[in-house]
Short mmCIF file of all heavy atoms in Angstrom, two decimals:
data_model
loop_
_atom_site.label_atom_id
_atom_site.label_comp_id
_atom_site.label_asym_id
_atom_site.label_seq_id
_atom_site.Cartn_x
_atom_site.Cartn_y
_atom_site.Cartn_z
N ARG E 1 -67.34 -35.72 74.17
CA ARG E 1 -66.44 -34.88 73.39
C ARG E 1 -65.47 -34.12 74.28
O ARG E 1 -64.27 -34.03 74.03
CB ARG E 1 -67.23 -33.89 72.53
CG ARG E 1 -66.41 -33.13 71.53
CD ARG E 1 -67.23 -32.20 70.68
NE ARG E 1 -68.25 -32.92 69.94
CZ ARG E 1 -69.53 -32.84 70.14
NH1 ARG E 1 -70.00 -32.05 71.15
NH2 ARG E 1 -70.39 -33.49 69.41
N GLU E 2 -66.01 -33.52 75.37
CA GLU E 2 -65.13 -32.79 76.33
C GLU E 2 -64.13 -33.65 76.98
O GLU E 2 -63.00 -33.25 77.19
CB GLU E 2 -66.03 -32.08 77.38
CG GLU E 2 -66.82 -30.92 76.83
CD GLU E 2 -67.65 -30.24 77.94
OE1 GLU E 2 -67.32 -30.50 79.15
OE2 GLU E 2 -68.56 -29.46 77.60
N ARG E 3 -64.49 -34.87 77.29
CA ARG E 3 -63.56 -35.81 77.92
C ARG E 3 -62.61 -36.48 76.96
O ARG E 3 -61.77 -37.26 77.34
CB ARG E 3 -64.37 -36.87 78.73
CG ARG E 3 -65.02 -36.36 79.98
CD ARG E 3 -65.94 -37.37 80.64
NE ARG E 3 -66.39 -36.94 81.94
CZ ARG E 3 -65.97 -37.37 83.10
NH1 ARG E 3 -65.05 -38.31 83.10
NH2 ARG E 3 -66.43 -36.95 84.24
N LYS E 4 -62.86 -36.26 75.67
CA LYS E 4 -62.04 -36.80 74.59
C LYS E 4 -62.02 -38.36 74.65
O LYS E 4 -60.99 -38.99 74.46
CB LYS E 4 -60.61 -36.28 74.65
CG LYS E 4 -60.56 -34.75 74.46
CD LYS E 4 -59.11 -34.26 74.49
CE LYS E 4 -59.06 -32.77 74.26
NZ LYS E 4 -57.72 -32.19 74.32
N LEU E 5 -63.20 -38.92 74.89
CA LEU E 5 -63.33 -40.35 74.88
C LEU E 5 -63.48 -40.87 73.48
O LEU E 5 -63.99 -40.18 72.57
CB LEU E 5 -64.54 -40.77 75.75
CG LEU E 5 -64.46 -40.44 77.24
CD1 LEU E 5 -65.76 -40.75 77.93
CD2 LEU E 5 -63.31 -41.22 77.88
N THR E 6 -63.01 -42.09 73.22
CA THR E 6 -63.04 -42.65 71.93
C THR E 6 -64.39 -43.30 71.64
O THR E 6 -64.78 -44.29 72.28
CB THR E 6 -61.97 -43.74 71.76
OG1 THR E 6 -60.65 -43.12 71.99
CG2 THR E 6 -61.98 -44.34 70.36
N VAL E 7 -65.14 -42.73 70.69
CA VAL E 7 -66.40 -43.28 70.30
C VAL E 7 -66.20 -44.13 69.05
O VAL E 7 -65.83 -43.63 67.98
CB VAL E 7 -67.44 -42.17 69.98
CG1 VAL E 7 -68.78 -42.75 69.51
CG2 VAL E 7 -67.66 -41.31 71.21
N LEU E 8 -66.43 -45.43 69.17
CA LEU E 8 -66.19 -46.37 68.07
C LEU E 8 -67.34 -46.42 67.11
O LEU E 8 -67.15 -46.60 65.91
CB LEU E 8 -65.89 -47.80 68.63
CG LEU E 8 -64.69 -47.91 69.54
CD1 LEU E 8 -64.62 -49.28 70.13
CD2 LEU E 8 -63.40 -47.55 68.82
N ASP E 9 -68.54 -46.25 67.63
CA ASP E 9 -69.72 -46.37 66.77
C ASP E 9 -70.91 -45.82 67.55
O ASP E 9 -71.01 -45.83 68.78
CB ASP E 9 -70.01 -47.81 66.40
CG ASP E 9 -71.07 -47.96 65.35
OD1 ASP E 9 -71.22 -47.02 64.50
OD2 ASP E 9 -71.85 -48.97 65.36
N THR E 10 -71.87 -45.24 66.75
CA THR E 10 -73.16 -44.77 67.36
C THR E 10 -74.28 -45.28 66.47
O THR E 10 -74.25 -45.03 65.22
CB THR E 10 -73.20 -43.21 67.45
OG1 THR E 10 -72.08 -42.78 68.17
CG2 THR E 10 -74.47 -42.79 68.17
N ALA E 11 -75.25 -45.97 67.04
CA ALA E 11 -76.38 -46.50 66.30
C ALA E 11 -77.69 -45.89 66.84
O ALA E 11 -77.89 -45.85 68.03
CB ALA E 11 -76.39 -48.02 66.40
N PHE E 12 -78.56 -45.45 65.93
CA PHE E 12 -79.82 -44.82 66.32
C PHE E 12 -80.99 -45.70 65.89
O PHE E 12 -81.18 -45.92 64.65
CB PHE E 12 -79.93 -43.46 65.65
CG PHE E 12 -78.83 -42.51 66.05
CD1 PHE E 12 -77.69 -42.44 65.25
CD2 PHE E 12 -78.90 -41.71 67.19
CE1 PHE E 12 -76.65 -41.53 65.57
CE2 PHE E 12 -77.89 -40.83 67.51
CZ PHE E 12 -76.74 -40.73 66.73
N THR E 13 -81.71 -46.26 66.81
CA THR E 13 -82.88 -47.04 66.54
C THR E 13 -83.99 -46.46 67.42
O THR E 13 -84.21 -45.25 67.46
CB THR E 13 -82.67 -48.55 66.79
OG1 THR E 13 -82.22 -48.68 68.12
CG2 THR E 13 -81.65 -49.11 65.85
N ASP E 14 -84.69 -47.30 68.14
CA ASP E 14 -85.64 -46.78 69.16
C ASP E 14 -84.92 -46.22 70.36
O ASP E 14 -85.49 -45.48 71.12
CB ASP E 14 -86.62 -47.89 69.59
CG ASP E 14 -85.90 -49.10 70.10
OD1 ASP E 14 -84.79 -49.42 69.60
OD2 ASP E 14 -86.42 -49.74 71.06
N VAL E 15 -83.63 -46.59 70.50
CA VAL E 15 -82.71 -46.03 71.54
C VAL E 15 -81.39 -45.68 70.83
O VAL E 15 -81.23 -45.91 69.64
CB VAL E 15 -82.47 -47.05 72.66
CG1 VAL E 15 -83.73 -47.31 73.46
CG2 VAL E 15 -81.89 -48.35 72.12
N VAL E 16 -80.50 -45.08 71.60
CA VAL E 16 -79.21 -44.75 71.06
C VAL E 16 -78.15 -45.71 71.72
O VAL E 16 -78.15 -45.83 72.95
CB VAL E 16 -78.80 -43.30 71.32
CG1 VAL E 16 -77.44 -42.99 70.69
CG2 VAL E 16 -79.89 -42.35 70.83
N ARG E 17 -77.34 -46.31 70.88
CA ARG E 17 -76.29 -47.24 71.36
C ARG E 17 -74.95 -46.54 71.03
O ARG E 17 -74.60 -46.40 69.85
CB ARG E 17 -76.39 -48.58 70.71
CG ARG E 17 -77.74 -49.31 71.00
CD ARG E 17 -77.84 -50.54 70.14
NE ARG E 17 -76.88 -51.54 70.51
CZ ARG E 17 -77.10 -52.52 71.44
NH1 ARG E 17 -78.29 -52.56 72.06
NH2 ARG E 17 -76.17 -53.38 71.76
N VAL E 18 -74.21 -46.15 72.03
CA VAL E 18 -72.91 -45.51 71.89
C VAL E 18 -71.83 -46.50 72.33
O VAL E 18 -71.77 -46.85 73.48
CB VAL E 18 -72.83 -44.21 72.73
CG1 VAL E 18 -71.50 -43.51 72.45
CG2 VAL E 18 -74.01 -43.26 72.40
N GLU E 19 -71.00 -46.91 71.35
CA GLU E 19 -69.97 -47.81 71.67
C GLU E 19 -68.64 -47.09 71.87
O GLU E 19 -68.18 -46.38 70.99
CB GLU E 19 -69.80 -48.87 70.56
CG GLU E 19 -68.76 -49.94 70.83
CD GLU E 19 -68.62 -50.97 69.74
OE1 GLU E 19 -68.26 -50.56 68.60
OE2 GLU E 19 -68.85 -52.16 69.97
N LEU E 20 -68.06 -47.25 73.03
CA LEU E 20 -66.83 -46.59 73.44
C LEU E 20 -65.65 -47.55 73.46
O LEU E 20 -65.85 -48.74 73.75
CB LEU E 20 -66.97 -45.90 74.80
CG LEU E 20 -68.17 -44.94 74.97
CD1 LEU E 20 -68.30 -44.54 76.39
CD2 LEU E 20 -67.97 -43.73 74.08
N GLY E 21 -64.46 -47.05 73.25
CA GLY E 21 -63.25 -47.83 73.44
C GLY E 21 -62.47 -47.28 74.64
O GLY E 21 -62.02 -46.13 74.65
N ILE E 22 -62.41 -48.07 75.70
CA ILE E 22 -61.86 -47.59 76.97
C ILE E 22 -60.70 -48.43 77.42
O ILE E 22 -60.75 -49.68 77.32
CB ILE E 22 -62.95 -47.59 78.07
CG1 ILE E 22 -64.23 -46.86 77.55
CG2 ILE E 22 -62.50 -47.01 79.35
CD1 ILE E 22 -64.03 -45.42 77.22
N ALA E 23 -59.68 -47.82 77.96
CA ALA E 23 -58.56 -48.56 78.54
C ALA E 23 -59.09 -49.44 79.63
O ALA E 23 -59.91 -49.01 80.45
CB ALA E 23 -57.49 -47.63 79.07
N VAL E 24 -58.66 -50.71 79.70
CA VAL E 24 -59.20 -51.65 80.63
C VAL E 24 -59.14 -51.19 82.06
O VAL E 24 -60.06 -51.35 82.83
CB VAL E 24 -58.46 -53.01 80.47
CG1 VAL E 24 -58.79 -53.94 81.65
CG2 VAL E 24 -58.85 -53.71 79.16
N GLY E 25 -58.02 -50.53 82.41
CA GLY E 25 -57.84 -50.02 83.80
C GLY E 25 -58.79 -48.87 84.15
O GLY E 25 -58.89 -48.55 85.34
N GLU E 26 -59.48 -48.31 83.14
CA GLU E 26 -60.37 -47.16 83.41
C GLU E 26 -61.87 -47.56 83.31
O GLU E 26 -62.73 -46.67 83.46
CB GLU E 26 -60.04 -46.02 82.42
CG GLU E 26 -58.62 -45.51 82.55
CD GLU E 26 -58.27 -44.52 81.49
OE1 GLU E 26 -59.17 -44.19 80.70
OE2 GLU E 26 -57.11 -44.07 81.49
N ILE E 27 -62.11 -48.82 82.97
CA ILE E 27 -63.50 -49.23 82.72
C ILE E 27 -64.40 -49.00 83.94
O ILE E 27 -65.52 -48.42 83.81
CB ILE E 27 -63.55 -50.73 82.34
CG1 ILE E 27 -63.11 -50.93 80.87
CG2 ILE E 27 -64.94 -51.29 82.55
CD1 ILE E 27 -64.14 -50.55 79.83
N GLU E 28 -64.00 -49.44 85.12
CA GLU E 28 -64.86 -49.33 86.31
C GLU E 28 -65.22 -47.91 86.61
O GLU E 28 -66.34 -47.57 86.89
CB GLU E 28 -64.18 -50.02 87.48
CG GLU E 28 -63.90 -51.52 87.32
CD GLU E 28 -65.18 -52.29 87.17
OE1 GLU E 28 -66.26 -51.84 87.56
OE2 GLU E 28 -65.13 -53.40 86.57
N GLN E 29 -64.18 -47.04 86.55
CA GLN E 29 -64.41 -45.62 86.88
C GLN E 29 -65.34 -44.99 85.85
O GLN E 29 -66.22 -44.23 86.23
CB GLN E 29 -63.07 -44.89 86.91
CG GLN E 29 -63.17 -43.39 87.19
CD GLN E 29 -61.80 -42.69 87.22
OE1 GLN E 29 -60.78 -43.33 87.03
NE2 GLN E 29 -61.82 -41.41 87.45
N LEU E 30 -65.14 -45.31 84.58
CA LEU E 30 -66.01 -44.70 83.55
C LEU E 30 -67.42 -45.24 83.65
O LEU E 30 -68.38 -44.48 83.49
CB LEU E 30 -65.43 -44.97 82.17
CG LEU E 30 -66.20 -44.26 81.07
CD1 LEU E 30 -65.89 -42.78 81.07
CD2 LEU E 30 -65.91 -44.86 79.72
N ALA E 31 -67.57 -46.51 83.92
CA ALA E 31 -68.90 -47.09 84.02
C ALA E 31 -69.66 -46.45 85.18
O ALA E 31 -70.88 -46.12 85.08
CB ALA E 31 -68.83 -48.63 84.29
N ALA E 32 -69.00 -46.18 86.28
CA ALA E 32 -69.63 -45.49 87.41
C ALA E 32 -70.01 -44.07 87.04
O ALA E 32 -71.10 -43.63 87.41
CB ALA E 32 -68.65 -45.51 88.62
N TRP E 33 -69.14 -43.38 86.30
CA TRP E 33 -69.42 -42.02 85.88
C TRP E 33 -70.66 -41.98 84.96
O TRP E 33 -71.57 -41.16 85.11
CB TRP E 33 -68.23 -41.37 85.18
CG TRP E 33 -68.59 -40.09 84.56
CD1 TRP E 33 -68.78 -38.87 85.19
CD2 TRP E 33 -68.84 -39.83 83.19
NE1 TRP E 33 -69.12 -37.92 84.28
CE2 TRP E 33 -69.16 -38.47 83.04
CE3 TRP E 33 -68.83 -40.69 82.04
CZ2 TRP E 33 -69.47 -37.91 81.80
CZ3 TRP E 33 -69.12 -40.12 80.81
CH2 TRP E 33 -69.44 -38.73 80.69
N LEU E 34 -70.67 -42.91 83.98
CA LEU E 34 -71.83 -42.96 83.06
C LEU E 34 -73.14 -43.20 83.77
O LEU E 34 -74.15 -42.60 83.47
CB LEU E 34 -71.59 -44.02 82.01
CG LEU E 34 -70.64 -43.74 80.87
CD1 LEU E 34 -70.26 -45.03 80.13
CD2 LEU E 34 -71.19 -42.71 79.92
N THR E 35 -73.10 -44.17 84.71
CA THR E 35 -74.32 -44.47 85.47
C THR E 35 -74.79 -43.27 86.28
O THR E 35 -76.01 -42.98 86.29
CB THR E 35 -74.05 -45.66 86.44
OG1 THR E 35 -73.61 -46.80 85.65
CG2 THR E 35 -75.31 -46.03 87.21
#
């Protein structure tokens, strides 16, 4: 929310699946940050 990232969908099962929409040029940087 603070980073104003686009959340396309959130699914709650035994785990949480958060689907984001990210500009292609920012994917690597965001993946590293999430990890």
Side-chain angles (χ1 to χ4, degrees):
R1 188 179 300 111
E2 287 182 15
R3 287 172 172 256
K4 298 181 179 179
L5 296 173
T6 300
V7 178
L8 301 174
D9 188 32
T10 306
F12 301 92
T13 55
D14 56 326
V15 292
V16 183
R17 301 171 66 91
V18 183
E19 184 179 60
L20 306 172
I22 309 298
V24 167
E26 300 173 3
I27 283 283
E28 297 298 336
Q29 181 180 358
L30 185 74
W33 171 76
L34 283 168
T35 300

